[in-house]
Amino acid sequence: MATDWLGSIVSINCGDSLGVYQGRVSAVDQISQTISLTRPFHNGVKCLVPEVTFRAGDITELKILEIPGPGENQHFGDLHQTELGQSGIGYQVGINQNGTGKLVKKPASSSSAPQNIPKRTDVKSQDVAISPQQQQCSKSYVDRHTESLSQSKSFRRRHNSWSSSSRHPNQATPKKSGLKNGQMKNKDDECFGDDIEEIPDTDFDFEGNLALFDKAAVFEEIDTYERRSGTRSRGIPNERPTRYRHDENILESEPIVYRRITVPHNVSKEFCTDSGLVVPSVSYELHKKLLSVAEKHGLTLERRLEMTGVCASQMALTLLGGPNRLNPKNVHQRPTVALLCGPHVKGAQGISCGRHLANHDVQVILFLPNFVKMLESITNELSLFSKTQGQQVSNLKDLPSSPVDLVINCLDCPENAFLRDQPWYKAAVAWANRNRAPVLSIDPPVHEGEQGIDAKWSLALGLPLPLGERAGRVYLCDIGLPQQVFQEVGISYHSPFGCKFVIPLHSA
């Protein structure tokens, strides 16, 4: 009965640990409950041994893929022929808990004509009994086969070519196209047609072949040839090529000129930017002349006030914390800025700055003393400031007693030195010094005696004045003065601002 299945092609699933084996049944031992396959394939790869034996205990699923017809493999036993339906019908043996299995037909999806398929004479109702012992496979073979696979380092090369070598033995070889000089192999056969057993088991010795290459001798030969021929492809002999960092330019460029601004008089103090450009200071008289010439060419006082207010407000917003402080999540922590302004043009610059700060949701408190007659520029700026949510006070008692976030000082003006003797000026200076908030001075005077409040930061317009230590850290803002305006007053000017409108200056 067991010999009736000899010669059949079956697929044996041994679970996730052992995998799937395919091959032709060569022996079935009912006593030891084993089954042997010849020319086996393990997970699609041809095995290195000619025969594999399984015990029934290791078999999870057994599928019959093909039953030999009459006249084929006669040495496996006499087979009888019968009609089993359509072509492509397979058999699947399922193992039950009681140790018996059932043979089930699996019809193919194609609707081809019926063909004769050999059938066992003793199979009735298509049932076959398989004992529980047939579910075990020989572990000794599995260990031996796993060891042989681990020892073979060329396993991956065999796996890549398994598709060509795993052709069924009875499958016809495709015909080869011939040419006038004889038959030529098919392109696929030329690439993948080699027998898998002919592939050597040893790996290529990379280290041994690399040791055969004498690198020093080869480069010495190249150097000798280049010296004789007068050519040099790798630089000047005995000279190392220059090495560059990732942020250096390999192309030669003109030397950098750091002094791009020159003034017609002796410079008492020089500053430099973060990029190293030298910015000289100018006298108060030359700075006043520069603004006068710019106003004559169309840069009016109103434009200058607006540009100064924008630059000063941008710097103040940065000092207040920028986006970390001014965002919708911190509406309950609005920064407070106190503006101390005098009745002059510098005070008008402070009022313009306060208007822009109020537009950016900053709580602004503007102090400006009452005067019978105000400058037109101050009147215009106050009119715009009154349209914001800022608060204007004329009495120092209305200023907050607690420290504010920032104090902006616009009280001092060289042309109005008499204001420093006024009671309101002294009271405002005393309040600023008593309030422990940092101070930003906009366009402060040159002489330290003219500054009543010590500043932490000072903002200069166009070109800096020779400010002293009480001015704190100096910043420079661009108020839009054209280059020809500088040339007209005798200043050779090249903008040091780059991509910014406010830049820090350092003492040179």
Side-chain angles (χ1 to χ4, degrees):
M1 177 179 178
T3 59
D4 295 339
W5 298 100
L6 297 180
S8 301
I9 298 177
V10 298
S11 175
I12 298 177
N13 186 358
C14 298
D16 296 336
S17 59
L18 299 180
V20 180
Y21 289 82
Q22 295 176 351
R24 188 180 295 274
V25 180
S26 60
V28 178
D29 192 344
Q30 293 182 346
I31 299 176
S32 60
Q33 296 296 313
T34 60
I35 183 173
S36 300
L37 302 183
T38 184
R39 297 179 182 178
F41 284 81
H42 178 227
N43 294 333
V45 182
K46 186 176 181 181
C47 298
L48 301 178
V49 294
E51 190 176 48
V52 183
T53 302
F54 302 90
R55 289 190 298 184
D58 291 334
I59 299 177
T60 303
E61 185 180 15
L62 189 148
K63 295 181 181 179
I64 300 176
L65 304 180
E66 181 179 341
I67 300 176
E72 297 180 359
N73 301 317
Q74 295 181 2
H75 58 282
F76 290 110
D78 295 332
L79 299 175
H80 296 273
Q81 195 175 35
T82 187
E83 184 174 342
L84 289 179
Q86 298 179 356
S87 62
I89 295 179
Y91 295 85
Q92 179 176 351
V93 179
I95 306 300
N96 299 330
Q97 295 180 355
N98 56 5
T100 63
K102 189 168 185 179
L103 184 66
V104 182
K105 287 196 302 182
K106 296 179 66 179
S109 60
S110 61
S111 59
S112 59
Q115 65 177 4
N116 294 331
I117 299 178
K119 179 181 178 184
R120 292 173 49 189
T121 56
D122 57 343
V123 175
K124 298 178 181 179
S125 72
Q126 299 179 353
D127 291 339
V128 60
I130 299 178
S131 59
Q133 290 79 5
Q134 289 179 341
Q135 301 179 13
Q136 298 184 356
C137 181
S138 176
K139 291 186 178 180
S140 60
Y141 162 73
V142 174
D143 296 338
R144 182 173 68 254
H145 182 60
T146 305
E147 181 179 1
S148 63
L149 287 178
S150 62
Q151 292 177 354
S152 175
K153 295 183 179 179
S154 59
F155 174 76
R156 289 184 176 86
R157 296 197 298 270
R158 294 188 178 90
H159 179 70
N160 292 334
S161 60
W162 78 273
S163 60
S164 61
S165 62
S166 61
R167 187 183 295 113
H168 192 274
N170 296 331
Q171 184 176 353
T173 304
K175 296 182 179 180
K176 302 177 182 179
S177 59
L179 297 177
K180 61 181 181 179
N181 294 332
Q183 293 185 351
M184 185 179 66
K185 290 184 177 182
N186 188 273
K187 293 182 179 181
D188 293 340
D189 291 340
E190 292 179 359
C191 184
F192 307 106
D194 295 339
D195 191 0
I196 192 172
E197 297 180 356
E198 297 178 0
I199 299 178
D201 294 337
T202 58
D203 286 344
F204 181 76
D205 189 3
F206 288 96
E207 295 182 358
N209 283 268
L210 185 60
L212 299 177
F213 174 67
D214 192 352
K215 183 177 180 181
V218 173
F219 275 96
E220 184 179 358
E221 182 181 354
I222 295 174
D223 293 338
T224 303
Y225 171 76
E226 291 178 348
R227 285 195 296 267
R228 290 178 180 178
S229 60
T231 60
R232 188 69 176 176
S233 60
R234 291 179 288 107
I236 304 175
N238 300 327
E239 180 180 340
R240 292 185 177 181
T242 305
R243 296 183 180 180
Y244 297 93
R245 298 195 309 271
H246 67 281
D247 57 347
E248 288 183 329
N249 190 1
I250 63 174
L251 300 178
E252 295 184 0
S253 58
E254 298 180 358
I256 302 176
V257 179
Y258 292 98
R259 191 177 297 274
R260 300 181 179 181
I261 303 175
T262 57
V263 295
H265 57 76
N266 294 330
V267 179
S268 59
K269 189 173 184 179
E270 288 184 341
F271 300 90
C272 63
T273 63
D274 291 338
S275 58
L277 298 178
V278 178
V279 179
S281 62
V282 295
S283 61
Y284 177 76
E285 291 76 13
L286 182 60
H287 191 271
K288 184 178 179 180
K289 181 180 180 181
L290 179 65
L291 299 180
S292 177
V293 173
E295 188 173 354
K296 183 181 65 175
H297 286 287
L299 188 61
T300 60
L301 177 61
E302 289 76 11
R303 288 187 175 184
R304 192 171 78 242
L305 292 177
E306 188 68 19
M307 194 65 187
T308 303
V310 170
C311 293
S313 61
Q314 287 181 352
M315 181 177 176
L317 291 173
T318 303
L319 297 176
L320 291 172
N324 296 326
R325 180 75 180 276
L326 300 169
N327 59 66
K329 297 181 180 179
N330 289 337
V331 292
H332 60 287
Q333 296 180 354
R334 292 176 56 192
T336 303
V337 175
L339 266 170
L340 306 180
C341 299
H344 38 67
V345 175
K346 297 186 183 296
Q349 294 175 353
I351 300 173
S352 176
C353 175
R355 169 167 54 88
H356 289 287
L357 290 176
N359 292 337
H360 286 265
D361 204 21
V362 177
Q363 186 176 356
V364 180
I365 302 175
L366 170 62
F367 168 76
L368 181 66
N370 287 325
F371 279 85
V372 177
K373 185 177 181 181
M374 292 283 189
L375 295 177
E376 182 181 359
S377 59
I378 293 182
T379 304
N380 295 335
E381 291 296 333
L382 285 177
S383 176
L384 292 174
F385 181 81
S386 62
K387 303 299 187 293
T388 65
Q389 295 181 355
Q391 179 183 0
Q392 179 184 355
V393 297
S394 58
N395 192 343
L396 291 173
K397 295 181 181 179
D398 297 331
L399 291 175
S401 58
S402 60
V404 295
D405 293 283
L406 181 66
V407 174
I408 299 179
N409 178 24
C410 299
L411 293 174
D412 303 311
C413 181
E415 298 178 355
N416 302 92
F418 65 93
L419 295 177
R420 291 195 296 271
D421 299 330
Q422 299 293 327
W424 61 264
Y425 180 89
K426 295 180 180 180
V429 171
W431 178 89
N433 292 331
R434 186 172 59 253
N435 194 293
R436 290 176 291 181
V439 178
L440 168 63
S441 295
I442 300 178
D443 196 12
V446 179
H447 303 290
E448 295 185 357
E450 298 176 353
Q451 298 180 14
I453 304 174
D454 293 338
K456 188 174 182 179
W457 307 282
S458 293
L459 183 63
L461 311 181
L463 285 177
L465 301 176
L467 301 175
E469 297 295 333
R470 298 187 64 182
R473 187 173 182 182
V474 181
Y475 284 77
L476 184 66
C477 73
D478 183 11
I479 57 176
L481 299 176
Q483 188 174 12
Q484 292 186 0
V485 174
F486 288 95
Q487 295 178 357
E488 190 169 341
V489 296
I491 299 176
S492 178
Y493 180 81
H494 189 280
S495 176
F497 292 96
C499 62
K500 300 179 180 179
F501 282 88
V502 180
I503 58 174
L505 296 181
H506 312 279
S507 298

